[in-house]
């Protein structure tokens, strides 16, 4: 079976929705309409010389072994790179494999990394591992540019932050931090999960490397784990790929196929979810049971203007703090009838999480307090249900 990129169905369109449906399509000689799943661990060579050439990188086809690359995975990589505006991408087994791969592939003992302290718990664990292997990591308040300027030095190898932090929805000024980092020769790595590829312009704003947990909005249906690293061809193929293919972090072809299908509807889904989130946040704002509602689309969000410039949307995520603390938060969770208690996000189904006891439970009480992860804080991922039903579900839960 021959597989090749189909130029006819790889349009040079500037419109992301068209790219998300067609870009990077590879078809076999059978001309299948849907993207094919190549469930194979290896590839057959016509002769010994062809095998030698392929391992030396001089053969006509790049595929050697599923851990190194696969036609289905390459379609996903090409498509997400086109959407993100990068030269290349490498798909991974999970979002954390992408974070781990991006950071460990570039850092060595003695290097220095500056990171925003408001990060997903597993991201903090990866940075702790870097420290264990001899990398110095400095943490800053990601919204304070003076702290970034003071922490970044000529010896800084990379800066790492979530463009919108998990779970308190701080918005980091990508352009400003990137300018500081680039002046010192550092690589800018942005975890862009909450911003999504729909609202992201991270590369345009100065990011060098963008990582996603594709498990979230890219899949959009809670079906599979996946991640992706987007960046220059040099970084992706010469820095990240060798590390990932030898340590086993590559995505499975089946999961790549799921992500390809998710990309086709992602723009429609995410825009609908963000529209619903904006309405729900406005309805919750000022509720007597809540001490605060955090949503970048609300005018009282500390980085509201930045969020609108950087993303053009408040996104699909809302955080809310119940005045009654953990007891009130748990009681409200238990009264929900539509919104599910889970720890994923970006799903078609709305999901609510209590970060202090789940995703960020390994943090000390002092660190939680510093990050605003209070006992009463809930993180809501708005799905595709009718916003009126979700608002009513929340109001009933808060009413008691």
């Amino acid at each position: 079976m021959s597989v090749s990129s189909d130029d006819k169905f790889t349009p040079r369109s500037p419109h992301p929705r068209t790219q998300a449906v067609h870009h990077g399509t590879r078809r076999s000689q059978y001309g299948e309409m849907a993207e094919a799943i190549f469930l194979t661990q290896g590839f057959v060579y016509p002769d010994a010389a062809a095998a030698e050439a392929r391992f030396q990188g001089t053969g006509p086809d790049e595929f050697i072994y599923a851990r190194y690359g696969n036609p289905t995975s390459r379609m996903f990589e090409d498509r997400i790179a086109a959407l993100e505006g990068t030269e290349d991408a490498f798909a991974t087994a999970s979002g954390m494999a992408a974070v781990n791969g991006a950071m460990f592939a570039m850092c060595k003992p003695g290097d220095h990394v500056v990171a925003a302290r408001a990060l997903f718990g597993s991201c903090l664990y990866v940075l702790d591992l870097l420290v264990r292997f001899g990398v110095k990591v400095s943490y800053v308040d990601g919204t304070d540019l003076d702290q970034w300027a003071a922490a970044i030095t000529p010896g800084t190898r990379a800066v790492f932050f979530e463009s919108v932090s998990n779970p308190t929805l701080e918005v980091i000024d990508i352009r400003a931090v990137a300018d500081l980092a680039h002046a010192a020769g550092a690589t800018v790595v942005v975890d862009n999960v909450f911003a999504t590829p729909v609202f992201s312009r991270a590369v345009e704003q100065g990011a060098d490397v963008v990582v996603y947990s594709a498990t979230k909005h890219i899949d959009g249906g809670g079906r599979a784990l996946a991640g992706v690293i987007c960046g220059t061809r040099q970084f992706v193929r010469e820095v990240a790929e060798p590390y990932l293919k030898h340590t086993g972090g590559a995505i499975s072809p089946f999961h790549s196929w799921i992500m390809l299908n998710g990309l086709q509807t992602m723009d429609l889904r995410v825009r609908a979810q963000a529209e619903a989130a904006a309405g729900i946040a406005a309805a919750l704002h000022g509720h007597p049971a809540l001490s605060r509602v955090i949503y970048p689309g609300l005018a009282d969000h500390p980085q509201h203007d930045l969020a609108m410039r950087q993303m053009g949307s408040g996104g699909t995520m809302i955080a809310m703090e119940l005045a009654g603390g953990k007891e009130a938060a748990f009681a409200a969770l238990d009264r929900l009838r539509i919104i599910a208690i889970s720890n994923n996000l970006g799903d078609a189904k709305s999901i609510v999480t209590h970060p202090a006891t789940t995703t960020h439970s390994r943090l000390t009480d002092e660190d939680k307090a510093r990050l605003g992860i209070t006992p009463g804080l809930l993180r809501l991922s708005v799905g595709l249900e009718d916003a009126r039903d979700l608002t009513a579900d929340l109001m009933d839960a808060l009413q008691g």
Side-chain angles (χ1 to χ4, degrees):
M1 177 182 290
S2 61
V3 182
S4 60
S5 179
D6 191 331
D7 289 337
K8 180 180 178 182
F9 291 97
T10 304
R12 294 175 178 83
S13 171
H15 302 295
R17 195 177 293 178
T18 302
Q19 291 176 325
V21 175
H22 292 294
H23 191 89
T25 298
R26 291 170 177 260
R27 287 199 168 101
S28 73
Q29 70 268 35
Y30 298 115
E32 62 278 353
M33 185 63 183
E35 293 85 353
I37 311 174
F38 290 87
L39 291 177
T40 178
Q41 94 292 348
F43 300 85
V44 175
Y45 316 112
D47 51 51
E52 179 186 34
R54 204 173 299 179
F55 269 81
Q56 291 177 346
T58 59
D61 200 329
E62 66 268 43
F63 301 115
I64 297 172
Y65 190 64
R67 186 158 38 86
Y68 291 24
N70 174 280
T72 310
S73 297
R74 187 57 54 83
M75 282 190 273
F76 172 51
E77 292 165 349
D78 288 348
R79 199 166 291 181
I80 190 66
L83 288 172
E84 198 62 28
T86 58
E87 293 179 347
D88 211 341
F90 191 89
T92 61
S94 68
M96 289 315 306
V99 172
N100 174 72
M103 299 306 296
F104 267 83
M106 79 166 88
C107 292
K108 64 183 185 303
D111 281 348
H112 178 227
V113 171
V114 181
R117 63 170 60 99
L119 295 171
F120 177 52
S122 294
C123 291
L124 291 168
Y125 182 80
V126 168
L127 294 176
D128 287 346
L129 285 178
L130 283 175
V131 173
R132 191 183 305 176
F133 285 95
V135 176
K136 181 183 177 182
V137 178
S138 302
Y139 291 99
V140 298
D141 177 343
T143 65
D144 187 335
L145 292 177
D146 290 338
Q147 290 193 28
W148 284 105
I152 296 169
T153 71
T156 300
R157 177 69 182 87
V159 301
F160 175 67
F161 58 92
E162 297 168 349
S163 53
V164 181
S165 71
N166 181 2
T168 53
L169 306 179
E170 295 177 351
V171 182
I172 310 300
D173 190 330
I174 298 173
R175 169 55 64 192
V177 175
D179 286 347
L180 293 170
H182 290 156
T187 299
V188 178
V189 183
V190 176
D191 183 331
N192 224 22
V193 169
F194 279 26
T196 80
V198 174
F199 299 127
S200 162
R201 296 190 297 276
V203 173
E204 176 186 316
Q205 292 156 353
D208 300 303
V209 179
V210 179
V211 294
Y212 284 104
S213 172
T215 310
K216 312 302 191 288
H217 300 89
I218 293 173
D219 172 12
R223 295 165 293 190
L225 296 176
V228 66
I229 301 171
C230 303
T232 65
R233 186 158 291 110
Q234 185 275 333
F235 182 87
V236 169
R237 297 301 161 186
E238 297 179 24
V239 179
E241 180 183 347
Y243 175 84
L244 287 159
K245 73 183 184 182
H246 291 300
T247 57
I251 194 171
S252 80
F254 180 64
H255 286 190
S256 290
W257 181 80
I258 290 174
M259 299 305 147
L260 279 166
N261 281 274
L263 282 175
Q264 294 178 7
T265 60
M266 179 182 65
D267 190 277
L268 294 167
R269 287 185 285 101
V270 169
R271 291 187 188 280
Q273 288 168 297
E275 181 181 0
I280 293 167
L284 292 173
H285 195 261
H287 193 287
L290 300 173
S291 56
R292 58 176 176 156
V293 175
I294 309 170
Y295 182 66
L298 291 175
D300 66 352
H301 188 283
Q303 296 92 42
H304 170 73
D305 291 342
L306 172 62
M308 293 302 102
R309 292 197 311 271
Q310 196 159 280
M311 299 192 299
S313 169
T316 68
M317 306 294 298
I318 302 169
M320 66 194 86
E321 183 178 359
L322 278 83
K326 178 182 175 181
E327 182 178 354
F330 273 32
L333 289 173
D334 291 345
R335 285 192 288 265
L336 291 167
R337 294 294 175 262
I338 297 173
I339 301 169
I341 303 171
S342 187
N343 51 286
N344 192 26
L345 61 96
D347 200 301
K349 300 176 180 66
S350 292
I351 292 170
V352 66
T353 306
H354 186 253
T357 55
T358 58
T359 56
H360 291 72
S361 58
R362 67 180 291 269
L363 298 181
T364 65
D365 289 342
E366 181 182 358
D367 285 339
K368 290 175 188 174
R370 185 185 299 115
L371 296 174
I373 304 173
T374 64
L377 188 75
L378 297 178
R379 186 192 74 187
L380 173 64
S381 172
V382 177
L384 291 174
E385 303 94 341
D386 191 295
R388 293 167 295 187
D389 291 334
L390 296 176
T391 301
D393 196 30
L394 288 161
M395 292 300 182
D396 288 345
L398 293 172
Q399 193 69 25

